[in-house]
Amino acid sequence: KNISNMNDIAIYFADPGTPSQRGLNEHSNGLLRKDGLPKKMDFNQGFISSVASKRNHIPRKSLNYQTPLEVFLSYVNEEQLSRLI
């Protein structure tokens, strides 16, 4: 509440045990499970990178049917991109 009041922003906290209040989170978790990410797993960087890459190449209606990667690349120029690599 202090952060919310200091910055004049609204922060929403879902009630415990109510997944219906966290729809986007639950949907994302379901997609990750479908990609083979079990609930209790020892994460290794290679597997996580491959899942992230797969997820970032799926077109999204909310992005006018572009992929998250396409939208990201539309906001950065080559110089900025080379500094990220």
Side-chain angles (χ1 to χ4, degrees):
K1 289 187 178 185
N2 289 339
I3 293 171
S4 177
N5 292 336
M6 286 176 16
N7 297 299
D8 194 32
I9 56 173
I11 299 176
Y12 174 76
F13 295 97
D15 296 320
T18 54
S20 61
Q21 294 179 358
R22 300 181 306 274
L24 180 60
N25 177 264
E26 294 295 324
H27 178 70
S28 297
N29 288 346
L31 292 174
L32 290 172
R33 303 278 175 259
K34 195 164 87 171
D35 287 338
L37 205 68
K39 286 187 178 184
K40 295 183 181 186
M41 139 172 220
D42 185 22
F43 294 100
N44 72 43
Q45 189 61 38
F47 182 72
I48 292 172
S49 294
S50 70
V51 170
S53 177
K54 184 176 179 180
R55 305 281 349 128
N56 284 327
H57 285 84
I58 296 174
R60 306 280 164 55
K61 183 178 180 180
S62 62
L63 300 175
N64 292 324
Y65 298 98
Q66 292 180 301
T67 67
L69 182 61
E70 290 170 334
V71 173
F72 172 76
L73 291 175
S74 73
Y75 285 97
V76 294
N77 59 38
E78 284 188 39
E79 180 184 333
Q80 292 170 318
L81 190 57
S82 66
R83 282 188 266 150
L84 292 173
I85 298 174

